[in-house]
Amino acid sequence: MQEANTLAGAGAPQPRDIDYQMWGRQQVPRFARDTTAEEPWPVGLTSHQYAGAVSRWPGCWVTGQIMQIDMRRRGSVYITLRDNDEDVSMRVVAFGEPANQAFQLGLKQGDKIVLFGRPEVWEKQTSLSFKATQIRRCGEGDLAERIDQLRRRLKGEGLFDETNKVPLPEFPRCIGLICAPGARAEGDVKTNASLRWPIIRFKTAYVKVQGPDCPREVIHAIEQLDADPEVDVIIVTRGGGSFEDLIGFSDEGVVRATAACRTPIVSAIGHEDDWTLIELAADYRATTPTGAAQAVVPDVNEQWNIIANNLAALDTLMDRTVKVEEGRLAGYLSNPMLTNPALMLDPLEEKLKHQRETLLNSMIRLVDYDTSSIESSVATLTALSPQSTLDRGYAIAQTAQGHVITDPTSVADGEEVTVIVSRGVMTATKTAASVRQ
């Protein structure tokens, strides 16, 4: 405490000399109690008086949890420090060596710190802040730790796996927008999306983006837009804020609803340095509302350029194809077979003539062979026919009943028999018979 008291006395800024009778060429009261509606203090004097009064306040050690921190510029740090138990916060600034301490400590949202400094008024805007001269880390914040534990648990369940991510549609027709009513983020999304893709439509679900009702309303909006068949992609967005302001978007129910959403969903919460669990479950994380609009819709000018380039490539391909076909046609036209089609028939005619002669010779040989075969068969049949036997002087004797007589004893004496000779038939009567042994 001795060190703190010493620093408090040494670091207190001294008020500058003031001409209380004249300020800005006007005569003004010396004390605040002397001001009236007719004789007020100017803003500059009021701010200066407050700054002088605050400069006399003692320095002290303060502890709290970092809700928001900006260390983008070396040598300066801006912190929103929240009470560990109460819903109270204060603005802390640090410059020079204390700012370098913050850089070396690698402070981030959720860290618990203890710092020494004194209150200070920036007269230009009459804003009160706590100017730190020493900064120390004393642990992780309870709220940040609880969120990190939830993150690890949900990650273990696979809610953040890349396999669960749904690709964004290439040419969406309707965007489901979840935001606060009248929010700047809504205008950023709609303006930029419409400039890039003028035919885009929106269905907006207005919700509270901070406070105890935020998670319930965001979950309902996600489920409502996910069930709408006209909505092609959903954007959940709000502007920047402190770690505590954005805490609703790290709610377990919001994260689960986001992971379960079948429609592609984009998170655009806060600024690039802000983080919430919804962005881990979303299919795409945009750092700003404008970035979300640029991610979900194509640029109409780029699409026209793509179409123009493809048309030019198609024209080139068609020209090349036509030239190839023209060259092929010229080759056909220079072919003698096409310029004088009769030449194409000459080899066919010669082949037909040869085949005709071959066929005629084959038919002649076949007829000669068959004629000779028939003549041979006729000669054989003629030699074997009964008529040929009769022509050689033989006769055939038959009974009256037409039976051929081979044994003369089978015919009774005096019985008439028929005798067939080469040129006719005659009748005879059996008188005698002799049998050849």
Side-chain angles (χ1 to χ4, degrees):
M1 288 301 298
Q2 183 177 1
E3 177 189 5
N5 293 331
T6 302
L7 290 172
Q14 302 298 321
R16 67 184 180 181
D17 294 333
I18 302 174
D19 182 358
Y20 290 98
Q21 300 301 317
M22 296 295 294
W23 182 278
R25 298 182 181 178
Q26 296 181 8
Q27 187 173 2
V28 294
R30 179 178 179 84
F31 300 106
R33 63 176 178 267
D34 298 329
T35 60
T36 64
E38 290 73 21
E39 293 184 325
W41 273 355
V43 171
L45 176 59
T46 305
S47 179
H48 184 75
Q49 292 286 60
Y50 285 167
V54 169
S55 69
R56 293 190 289 273
W57 293 0
C60 65
W61 286 96
V62 178
T63 184
Q65 181 177 336
I66 297 177
M67 290 293 98
Q68 193 171 13
I69 184 168
D70 182 357
M71 295 192 298
R72 283 175 287 186
R73 289 190 301 175
R74 193 78 177 180
S76 61
V77 175
Y78 301 90
I79 299 173
T80 299
L81 194 65
R82 177 182 179 273
D83 188 273
N84 293 326
D85 301 308
E86 303 294 334
D87 187 12
V88 180
S89 61
M90 65 185 299
R91 184 171 182 264
V92 178
V93 298
F95 304 102
E97 184 57 32
N100 292 334
Q101 290 179 2
F103 274 98
Q104 293 170 2
L105 292 172
L107 297 181
K108 62 183 183 301
Q109 285 179 334
D111 284 350
K112 283 184 177 180
I113 60 174
V114 60
L115 51 86
F116 180 84
R118 65 173 59 254
E120 181 181 86
V121 171
W122 183 30
E123 293 186 38
K124 190 171 184 179
Q125 292 186 353
T126 320
S127 60
L128 178 66
S129 60
F130 192 86
K131 185 175 181 181
T133 55
Q134 293 188 49
I135 300 177
R136 302 174 186 175
R137 179 192 276 118
C138 58
E140 297 286 341
D142 295 337
L143 187 58
E145 179 62 25
R146 289 199 302 270
I147 293 177
D148 193 55
Q149 290 176 358
L150 176 61
R151 178 191 64 80
R152 291 195 296 267
R153 178 162 59 85
L154 296 181
K155 181 179 180 181
E157 295 180 20
L159 264 65
F160 307 148
D161 292 350
E162 287 297 324
T163 55
N164 297 332
K165 306 297 183 184
V166 180
L168 301 183
E170 188 172 5
F171 300 104
R173 295 165 296 179
C174 180
I175 296 175
L177 183 60
I178 300 175
C179 61
R184 182 178 177 181
E186 177 185 5
D188 289 344
V189 171
K190 290 185 175 180
T191 299
N192 286 279
S194 298
L195 288 174
R196 288 173 61 86
W197 200 243
I199 64 172
I200 194 66
R201 295 185 296 110
F202 293 90
K203 288 193 175 183
T204 306
Y206 293 111
V207 300
K208 293 180 180 177
V209 294
Q210 67 184 67
D213 295 330
C214 171
R216 176 179 53 81
E217 294 187 8
V218 171
I219 292 171
H220 176 71
I222 292 175
E223 293 174 347
Q224 177 185 354
L225 293 176
D226 188 29
D228 192 331
E230 293 185 359
V231 175
D232 299 312
V233 62
I234 299 172
I235 297 177
V236 183
T237 185
R238 69 149 285 168
S242 68
F243 182 77
E244 185 177 28
D245 292 339
L246 305 179
I247 199 66
F249 294 94
S250 293
D251 179 80
E252 181 175 355
V254 172
V255 177
R256 291 190 180 277
T258 302
C261 185
R262 294 168 297 178
T263 306
I265 187 167
V266 176
S267 71
I269 308 300
H271 302 299
E272 186 172 0
D273 294 337
D274 299 324
W275 65 273
T276 56
L277 294 186
I278 189 176
E279 66 195 43
L280 301 178
D283 300 304
Y284 183 87
R285 188 246 179 178
T287 57
T288 62
T290 299
Q294 294 172 346
V296 299
V297 295
D299 188 337
V300 65
N301 294 321
E302 292 180 0
Q303 297 303 315
W304 278 122
N305 289 335
I306 292 173
I307 293 173
N309 292 336
N310 288 338
L311 287 175
L314 182 60
D315 289 341
T316 301
L317 178 61
M318 291 181 64
D319 290 342
R320 185 163 57 246
T321 303
V322 169
K323 289 180 180 179
V324 170
E325 296 301 324
E326 286 177 346
R328 184 177 300 173
L329 181 60
Y332 289 151
L333 293 176
S334 62
N335 191 321
M337 292 293 185
L338 296 179
T339 55
N340 185 10
L343 295 177
M344 299 174 60
L345 300 178
D346 289 345
L348 297 177
E349 184 178 6
E350 185 66 25
K351 182 178 181 180
L352 180 60
K353 179 180 179 181
H354 175 72
Q355 290 178 343
R356 182 182 296 172
E357 292 177 355
T358 301
L359 179 60
L360 181 59
N361 293 334
S362 298
M363 292 182 65
I364 292 175
R365 286 195 301 270
L366 182 60
V367 170
D368 290 344
Y369 175 79
D370 289 343
T371 300
S372 176
S373 177
I374 291 173
E375 290 176 350
S376 176
S377 298
V378 169
T380 302
L381 291 174
T382 301
L384 297 176
S385 68
Q387 184 63 41
S388 298
T389 303
L390 295 176
D391 288 343
R392 290 198 302 272
Y394 292 94
I396 299 173
Q398 296 178 333
T399 63
Q401 292 76 24
H403 298 293
V404 176
I405 301 171
T406 58
D407 185 358
T409 61
S410 62
V411 180
D413 292 340
E415 184 179 352
E416 288 186 354
V417 296
T418 301
V419 180
I420 301 174
V421 294
S422 175
R423 295 187 179 181
V425 179
M426 61 182 178
T427 302
T429 303
K430 177 189 175 187
T431 58
S434 62
V435 180
R436 183 177 296 173
Q437 298 296 326

